[in-house]
Amino acid sequence: MNIDTLMLMRDEIFLTAIILLMLIGEILLPIAKKKWLIHIGLLLFLIYTIQSFFPQKTGELFGGSYQTYPLVHFFKAILAVGVLAILLQSVEWIEEELLPYDFTAEFFILLFSSLLGLNFMMSAGDFLMFYLGLELSTMPIIALAAFEFFNRKSIEAGVKFIMLASVSSAILLFGVSLIYATTGSIYFDVIKTNMALPLMEIIGLVMIFAGIGFKISLVPFHFWTADVYEGAPTVISNYLSVISKGAAVFVLMTLLFVTFSTFGAHWDYILYGIAILTMFIGNLFAIRQKNMKRFLAFSSIAQAGFILLALLSHDKMGVQAIVFFLLIYIFSNVAAFGVVHIISLKAHTENMDDYNGLYSTNPRLSWVLMLALFSLAGIPPIAGFFAKFFLYAAAASKGYYILVFIAVINVTISLYYYLLPVRAAFLRRSENPIPKIHTDIYSKISFVAIVIGLLVLGLYSGVFEYISQISNIF
Amino acid sequence: MIEGVSLIEILSLTTILFFIGVYGFLTRTNLIAMLMSLELMINAEAINFVAINKYLSPAIMQGQVFSLFIIALAAAETALALAIILHLFRLTDSIDVKDVEELKY
């Protein structure tokens, strides 16, 4: 191994260096100058994001434990952009809530460690690296969910999250051990050739699916989602709903399409049922939510159901549809959660009824909220429509017309509840609406970038063509 | 490899251990007892990996290395869970799951 091959894991090395630098900064800076840490963290992460867009070679490290190819590298760059947008929105929150307690560096270190874990999980070439990445991504984010330890809701979210996450990872691990028993290896490419599908292997696969389904919050494993999203700080709910979920979907996609491709025909029945359940339960429960964070939590469950449509296709069309959908989904959900975050920070309310008359006092925030929710619902000129359209196209190309029809029914349901906050903000009148909110420059940059991204990605097809070029992962 | 003990017996043991853990996790209401059940589940997997490695593919020690990582990560997980439970205890004077029900539906 020389320096050239080591640079294949450039992203991870860079991120580790940032984490260590933040740690040194935390030690060296005097207590009065801890505010600099926010700017240092943002600047370092901006550099990381920019470097992650430079091309990367295809290759593997550590005897195949770590693999990298253009698609996974591109997806890491998308995640970096998402995390950067979340960080920009959270600067004010850090200054208000974390700086007085001197927790700034901890926040950055834990968030970056979680992203590092996701990066390792996505480019894993064996189950050991996969499991380590999964744990490294989950545990810091649990600590962050329970970060406001004086707030009972936050601690409750942390307790629920760690208990269920540990059980789900234990179940996943039992599945891995059964796969190891039948195929005699933990390497993905050896497993792929050795698969003979005895009963033991099928049980193992179902257990692995349960473990990853927990992270994506598919329906039988979705109970933690709403509680944790509501209790955790909004920044962390945002991270959980887009970054962590996006990476887990990517991993599930590579596992199903590449490693367990011989099992494909058996998967489809499970995926078919779970897709229908996830869409219906996510959508129907979202209708009755009054808390905006719970509302977005159930909406994110329903979106996971739509993603499963493309997982049924088992070909290049499905891969490009999923990656494009996740890109759009990250943009729109970060915007929606960002508005909820700003309002809950400044006006201390998360209730949908308090959003009445938002347009009269905060017109720009209302426009961002409307664009984000329209994009999630999939209304044509905005990017969300094309993302959903490609998912349907991928499922329809394999003849799943009934499933596509059910999905279209669900989009109609979802349109109803996505319009509820928009109606509250634009059409309802209120005696005392939320007062005028002054956001800082960082949030403004983040919102402007996201809105431009949502509009441009809907009209400009270059990004989709690029994804289409690199999405041949088989 | 142990004389007179076949892999089936060891796998039966670990499966029983795992499901005792699942049962304990589902029925106990004390958070510490739930953590103990979790440890049972994770330890069952560690034994599983070592036994499968020793009996089925003794040439490469993938399973034993895996079980070392499992033990380390289980310790980290328990430490984090205990820290969060400690904060819950400070706020509510209880470590029972019945008191963790402010967020619902």
Side-chain angles (χ1 to χ4, degrees):
Chain A
M1 183 193 282
N2 53 25
I3 195 76
D4 273 353
T5 52
L6 194 64
M7 286 318 273
L8 282 175
M9 49 190 292
R10 191 179 71 208
D11 291 328
E12 285 77 10
I13 292 173
F14 210 105
L15 211 46
T16 317
I18 292 177
I19 293 168
L20 294 177
L21 280 177
M22 293 302 289
L23 206 59
I24 294 170
E26 160 78 1
I27 297 166
L28 291 185
L29 280 179
I31 198 111
K33 291 180 180 169
K34 283 285 161 69
K35 202 172 176 228
W36 290 9
L37 275 176
I38 303 174
H39 304 290
I40 296 173
L42 275 179
L43 185 69
L44 287 174
F45 198 77
L46 181 68
I47 299 170
Y48 165 76
T49 311
I50 292 168
Q51 70 84 28
S52 68
F53 277 98
F54 287 102
Q56 175 73 285
K57 279 176 287 186
T58 304
E60 56 178 43
L61 279 174
F62 308 124
S65 278
Y66 179 93
Q67 297 170 335
T68 181
Y69 42 91
L71 187 68
V72 75
H73 186 69
F74 178 69
F75 202 73
K76 281 175 191 167
I78 296 176
L79 292 191
V81 173
V83 173
L84 187 65
I86 294 173
L87 278 181
L88 285 174
Q89 287 168 4
S90 63
V91 169
E92 234 168 328
W93 175 73
I94 299 171
E95 281 177 358
E96 263 179 41
E97 302 274 334
L98 301 184
L99 207 55
Y101 299 94
D102 193 13
F103 282 153
T104 321
E106 279 90 337
F107 173 78
F108 280 104
I109 291 168
L110 288 174
L111 198 70
F112 293 160
S113 311
S114 176
L115 183 65
L116 180 68
L118 291 177
N119 279 356
F120 272 123
M121 182 172 89
M122 284 189 299
S123 36
D126 66 357
F127 268 118
L128 181 55
M129 187 67 99
F130 168 76
Y131 175 66
L132 290 178
L134 184 84
E135 291 290 303
L136 182 56
S137 69
T138 314
M139 276 199 269
I141 215 69
I142 296 171
L144 283 176
F147 216 51
E148 294 177 334
F149 55 83
F150 40 82
N151 177 356
R152 192 163 175 273
K153 276 188 173 177
S154 180
I155 288 292
E156 186 178 327
V159 168
K160 282 180 175 165
F161 197 6
I162 184 134
M163 283 299 167
L164 296 176
S166 318
V167 169
S168 86
S169 78
I171 289 173
L172 179 136
L173 210 50
F174 202 78
V176 173
S177 76
L178 294 184
I179 298 278
Y180 177 52
T182 49
T183 57
S185 177
I186 55 173
Y187 284 92
F188 287 162
D189 41 358
V190 184
I191 288 173
K192 189 184 173 188
T193 49
N194 282 7
M195 279 192 80
L197 291 181
L199 193 57
M200 199 161 158
E201 208 162 280
I202 294 173
I203 296 172
L205 288 171
V206 170
M207 283 175 146
I208 291 174
F209 184 77
I212 303 175
F214 172 85
K215 267 193 96 82
I216 315 178
S217 60
L218 299 176
V219 150
F221 325 107
H222 71 290
F223 292 100
W224 62 282
T225 318
D227 289 358
V228 172
Y229 283 19
E230 190 188 344
T234 319
V235 178
I236 305 308
S237 319
N238 198 346
Y239 180 92
L240 274 172
S241 79
V242 291
I243 310 295
S244 146
K245 177 178 279 196
V249 169
F250 188 88
V251 167
L252 183 62
M253 179 182 81
T254 48
L255 278 183
L256 287 190
F257 284 9
V258 183
T259 314
F260 299 143
S261 51
T262 38
F263 196 57
H266 303 266
W267 271 125
D268 288 352
Y269 296 107
I270 307 177
L271 286 177
Y272 199 101
I274 288 183
I276 294 173
L277 268 179
T278 311
M279 286 188 288
F280 269 114
I281 290 184
N283 280 327
L284 294 178
F285 273 81
I287 290 176
R288 61 192 287 272
Q289 300 305 325
K290 284 290 163 203
N291 182 304
M292 281 302 285
K293 275 156 89 177
R294 287 186 91 80
F295 167 83
L296 285 173
F298 279 108
S299 112
S300 84
I301 294 175
Q303 302 282 345
F306 290 115
I307 296 173
L308 288 192
L309 251 69
L311 277 178
L312 285 165
S313 77
H314 301 289
D315 58 6
K316 193 186 157 200
M317 210 171 164
V319 177
Q320 67 198 31
I322 287 173
V323 173
F324 189 67
F325 182 86
L326 287 174
L327 169 66
I328 306 296
Y329 172 73
I330 285 174
F331 270 88
S332 23
N333 226 14
V334 165
F337 259 112
V339 174
V340 174
H341 167 68
I342 297 279
I343 289 175
S344 102
L345 183 73
K346 292 297 176 84
H348 304 287
T349 179
E350 289 159 8
N351 198 323
M352 200 187 288
D353 295 333
D354 293 338
Y355 281 50
N356 289 351
L358 184 70
Y359 181 66
S360 59
T361 50
N362 297 296
R364 274 176 291 184
L365 271 183
S366 315
W367 280 109
V368 175
L369 183 70
M370 192 193 82
L371 267 180
L373 292 178
F374 276 13
S375 175
L376 283 172
I379 290 177
I382 310 164
F385 168 73
F386 298 100
K388 280 231 171 72
F389 174 76
F390 291 131
L391 288 184
Y392 297 157
S397 70
K398 295 285 168 179
Y400 292 104
Y401 294 114
I402 299 171
L403 190 61
V404 172
F405 181 67
I406 294 171
V408 171
I409 293 174
N410 271 289
V411 167
T412 321
I413 302 173
S414 76
L415 205 55
Y416 168 71
Y417 68 76
Y418 281 129
L419 286 177
L420 288 179
V422 178
R423 184 184 63 166
F426 280 84
L427 299 179
R428 287 275 175 86
R429 294 281 170 267
S430 169
E431 294 288 305
N432 45 352
I434 293 167
K436 178 102 183 91
I437 290 172
H438 293 282
T439 49
D440 63 345
I441 182 76
Y442 295 112
S443 316
K444 278 182 188 143
I445 294 171
S446 151
F447 281 132
V448 167
I450 287 170
V451 167
I452 291 173
L454 280 179
L455 294 175
V456 167
L457 287 171
L459 301 171
Y460 170 67
S461 64
V463 180
F464 184 73
E465 276 161 16
Y466 178 68
I467 293 172
S468 175
Q469 271 173 26
I470 58 175
S471 61
N472 204 353
I473 57 169
F474 302 100
Chain B
M1 209 174 293
I2 312 166
E3 284 295 314
V5 181
S6 68
L7 183 61
I8 296 290
E9 284 152 2
I10 297 180
L11 287 190
S12 311
L13 167 81
T14 56
T15 311
I16 292 168
L17 207 56
F18 181 82
F19 282 101
I20 290 173
V22 173
Y23 177 78
F25 190 85
L26 294 178
T27 52
R28 288 305 187 99
T29 58
N30 185 310
L31 283 169
I32 302 292
M34 284 165 82
L35 264 188
M36 286 158 64
S37 314
L38 196 68
E39 282 300 303
L40 275 185
M41 288 158 78
I42 293 172
N43 285 341
E45 283 134 21
I47 300 174
N48 234 351
F49 271 107
V50 175
I52 290 164
N53 187 197
K54 202 72 186 156
Y55 279 83
L56 293 181
S57 49
I60 321 165
M61 295 210 292
Q62 287 167 348
Q64 300 191 29
V65 173
F66 209 129
S67 69
L68 281 179
F69 278 101
I70 291 173
I71 293 164
L73 278 171
E77 227 165 45
T78 315
L80 181 58
L82 282 178
I84 293 174
I85 292 171
L86 196 64
H87 276 301
L88 180 77
F89 182 71
R90 283 193 188 143
L91 289 177
T92 63
D93 280 336
S94 158
I95 49 166
D96 203 285
V97 275
K98 284 196 214 97
D99 296 314
V100 196
E101 53 174 23
E102 207 169 73
L103 304 169
K104 264 188 176 174
Y105 311 117

mmCIF file of all heavy atoms in Angstrom, chain A residues 213-228:
data_model
loop_
_atom_site.group_PDB
_atom_site.id
_atom_site.type_symbol
_atom_site.label_atom_id
_atom_site.label_comp_id
_atom_site.label_asym_id
_atom_site.label_seq_id
_atom_site.Cartn_x
_atom_site.Cartn_y
_atom_site.Cartn_z
ATOM 1 N N GLY A 213 -33.884 -1.943 7.656
ATOM 2 C CA GLY A 213 -35.203 -1.322 7.613
ATOM 3 C C GLY A 213 -35.448 -0.423 8.805
ATOM 4 O O GLY A 213 -36.158 0.572 8.699
ATOM 5 N N PHE A 214 -34.842 -0.750 9.941
ATOM 6 C CA PHE A 214 -34.967 0.118 11.113
ATOM 7 C C PHE A 214 -34.391 1.491 10.822
ATOM 8 O O PHE A 214 -34.981 2.509 11.151
ATOM 9 C CB PHE A 214 -34.234 -0.518 12.291
ATOM 10 C CG PHE A 214 -34.145 0.369 13.489
ATOM 11 C CD1 PHE A 214 -35.170 0.427 14.395
ATOM 12 C CD2 PHE A 214 -33.030 1.152 13.695
ATOM 13 C CE1 PHE A 214 -35.089 1.252 15.492
ATOM 14 C CE2 PHE A 214 -32.943 1.972 14.788
ATOM 15 C CZ PHE A 214 -33.981 2.020 15.689
ATOM 16 N N LYS A 215 -33.231 1.516 10.175
ATOM 17 C CA LYS A 215 -32.604 2.809 9.891
ATOM 18 C C LYS A 215 -33.400 3.599 8.868
ATOM 19 O O LYS A 215 -33.440 4.815 8.902
ATOM 20 C CB LYS A 215 -31.167 2.605 9.400
ATOM 21 C CG LYS A 215 -30.165 2.663 10.512
ATOM 22 C CD LYS A 215 -28.772 2.764 9.990
ATOM 23 C CE LYS A 215 -28.275 4.173 9.929
ATOM 24 N NZ LYS A 215 -27.767 4.686 11.175
ATOM 25 N N ILE A 216 -34.020 2.891 7.915
ATOM 26 C CA ILE A 216 -34.812 3.610 6.904
ATOM 27 C C ILE A 216 -36.203 3.905 7.447
ATOM 28 O O ILE A 216 -36.951 4.641 6.825
ATOM 29 C CB ILE A 216 -34.901 2.771 5.613
ATOM 30 C CG1 ILE A 216 -33.546 2.210 5.244
ATOM 31 C CG2 ILE A 216 -35.399 3.585 4.454
ATOM 32 C CD1 ILE A 216 -33.560 1.355 4.026
ATOM 33 N N SER A 217 -36.576 3.297 8.582
ATOM 34 C CA SER A 217 -37.919 3.378 9.172
ATOM 35 C C SER A 217 -38.987 2.903 8.200
ATOM 36 O O SER A 217 -39.910 3.625 7.867
ATOM 37 C CB SER A 217 -38.238 4.768 9.730
ATOM 38 O OG SER A 217 -38.174 5.751 8.757
ATOM 39 N N LEU A 218 -38.825 1.670 7.715
ATOM 40 C CA LEU A 218 -39.895 0.993 6.979
ATOM 41 C C LEU A 218 -40.938 0.525 7.980
ATOM 42 O O LEU A 218 -40.670 0.473 9.176
ATOM 43 C CB LEU A 218 -39.318 -0.208 6.219
ATOM 44 C CG LEU A 218 -38.271 0.155 5.205
ATOM 45 C CD1 LEU A 218 -37.681 -1.076 4.585
ATOM 46 C CD2 LEU A 218 -38.864 1.036 4.146
ATOM 47 N N VAL A 219 -42.133 0.125 7.494
ATOM 48 C CA VAL A 219 -43.219 0.085 8.452
ATOM 49 C C VAL A 219 -43.150 -0.857 9.641
ATOM 50 O O VAL A 219 -43.318 -0.387 10.732
ATOM 51 C CB VAL A 219 -44.582 0.065 7.775
ATOM 52 C CG1 VAL A 219 -45.633 -0.657 8.562
ATOM 53 C CG2 VAL A 219 -45.012 1.491 7.716
ATOM 54 N N PRO A 220 -42.869 -2.108 9.562
ATOM 55 C CA PRO A 220 -42.926 -2.805 10.860
ATOM 56 C C PRO A 220 -41.867 -2.307 11.839
ATOM 57 O O PRO A 220 -41.925 -2.637 13.009
ATOM 58 C CB PRO A 220 -42.668 -4.270 10.490
ATOM 59 C CG PRO A 220 -42.795 -4.346 9.039
ATOM 60 C CD PRO A 220 -42.506 -3.004 8.492
ATOM 61 N N PHE A 221 -40.906 -1.536 11.368
ATOM 62 C CA PHE A 221 -39.810 -1.085 12.237
ATOM 63 C C PHE A 221 -39.805 0.430 12.398
ATOM 64 O O PHE A 221 -38.773 1.032 12.642
ATOM 65 C CB PHE A 221 -38.462 -1.519 11.648
ATOM 66 C CG PHE A 221 -38.490 -2.835 10.954
ATOM 67 C CD1 PHE A 221 -38.422 -2.915 9.585
ATOM 68 C CD2 PHE A 221 -38.613 -4.002 11.672
ATOM 69 C CE1 PHE A 221 -38.474 -4.135 8.941
ATOM 70 C CE2 PHE A 221 -38.667 -5.214 11.034
ATOM 71 C CZ PHE A 221 -38.594 -5.284 9.670
ATOM 72 N N HIS A 222 -40.982 1.070 12.295
ATOM 73 C CA HIS A 222 -40.982 2.528 12.217
ATOM 74 C C HIS A 222 -41.352 3.203 13.528
ATOM 75 O O HIS A 222 -41.408 4.421 13.581
ATOM 76 C CB HIS A 222 -42.001 2.969 11.172
ATOM 77 C CG HIS A 222 -43.403 2.765 11.619
ATOM 78 N ND1 HIS A 222 -43.939 1.506 11.753
ATOM 79 C CD2 HIS A 222 -44.366 3.627 12.011
ATOM 80 C CE1 HIS A 222 -45.175 1.621 12.190
ATOM 81 N NE2 HIS A 222 -45.460 2.880 12.351
ATOM 82 N N PHE A 223 -41.586 2.426 14.617
ATOM 83 C CA PHE A 223 -42.203 3.019 15.803
ATOM 84 C C PHE A 223 -41.354 4.085 16.467
ATOM 85 O O PHE A 223 -41.879 4.969 17.121
ATOM 86 C CB PHE A 223 -42.548 1.913 16.799
ATOM 87 C CG PHE A 223 -43.626 1.024 16.297
ATOM 88 C CD1 PHE A 223 -43.326 -0.190 15.745
ATOM 89 C CD2 PHE A 223 -44.941 1.420 16.343
ATOM 90 C CE1 PHE A 223 -44.321 -1.004 15.251
ATOM 91 C CE2 PHE A 223 -45.939 0.615 15.849
ATOM 92 C CZ PHE A 223 -45.623 -0.602 15.303
ATOM 93 N N TRP A 224 -40.038 4.003 16.304
ATOM 94 C CA TRP A 224 -39.176 4.976 16.961
ATOM 95 C C TRP A 224 -39.224 6.328 16.276
ATOM 96 O O TRP A 224 -38.969 7.351 16.888
ATOM 97 C CB TRP A 224 -37.734 4.475 16.954
ATOM 98 C CG TRP A 224 -37.178 4.293 15.588
ATOM 99 C CD1 TRP A 224 -37.417 3.257 14.745
ATOM 100 C CD2 TRP A 224 -36.331 5.184 14.873
ATOM 101 N NE1 TRP A 224 -36.765 3.435 13.571
ATOM 102 C CE2 TRP A 224 -36.091 4.616 13.619
ATOM 103 C CE3 TRP A 224 -35.739 6.414 15.174
ATOM 104 C CZ2 TRP A 224 -35.297 5.224 12.656
ATOM 105 C CZ3 TRP A 224 -34.942 7.010 14.224
ATOM 106 C CH2 TRP A 224 -34.726 6.421 12.982
ATOM 107 N N THR A 225 -39.562 6.330 14.979
ATOM 108 C CA THR A 225 -39.299 7.513 14.154
ATOM 109 C C THR A 225 -39.932 8.776 14.718
ATOM 110 O O THR A 225 -39.241 9.766 14.989
ATOM 111 C CB THR A 225 -39.840 7.276 12.736
ATOM 112 O OG1 THR A 225 -39.518 5.953 12.359
ATOM 113 C CG2 THR A 225 -39.244 8.242 11.769
ATOM 114 N N ALA A 226 -41.277 8.736 14.900
ATOM 115 C CA ALA A 226 -41.964 9.970 15.281
ATOM 116 C C ALA A 226 -41.504 10.442 16.650
ATOM 117 O O ALA A 226 -41.261 11.638 16.851
ATOM 118 C CB ALA A 226 -43.462 9.734 15.271
ATOM 119 N N ASP A 227 -41.345 9.521 17.604
ATOM 120 C CA ASP A 227 -40.953 9.921 18.953
ATOM 121 C C ASP A 227 -39.571 10.553 18.962
ATOM 122 O O ASP A 227 -39.349 11.596 19.579
ATOM 123 C CB ASP A 227 -40.961 8.700 19.876
ATOM 124 C CG ASP A 227 -42.369 8.233 20.155
ATOM 125 O OD1 ASP A 227 -43.293 8.893 19.664
ATOM 126 O OD2 ASP A 227 -42.536 7.227 20.843
ATOM 127 N N VAL A 228 -38.623 9.896 18.266
ATOM 128 C CA VAL A 228 -37.260 10.432 18.287
ATOM 129 C C VAL A 228 -37.200 11.766 17.551
ATOM 130 O O VAL A 228 -36.573 12.711 18.026
ATOM 131 C CB VAL A 228 -36.283 9.410 17.671
ATOM 132 C CG1 VAL A 228 -34.927 10.016 17.499
ATOM 133 C CG2 VAL A 228 -36.192 8.199 18.558
#
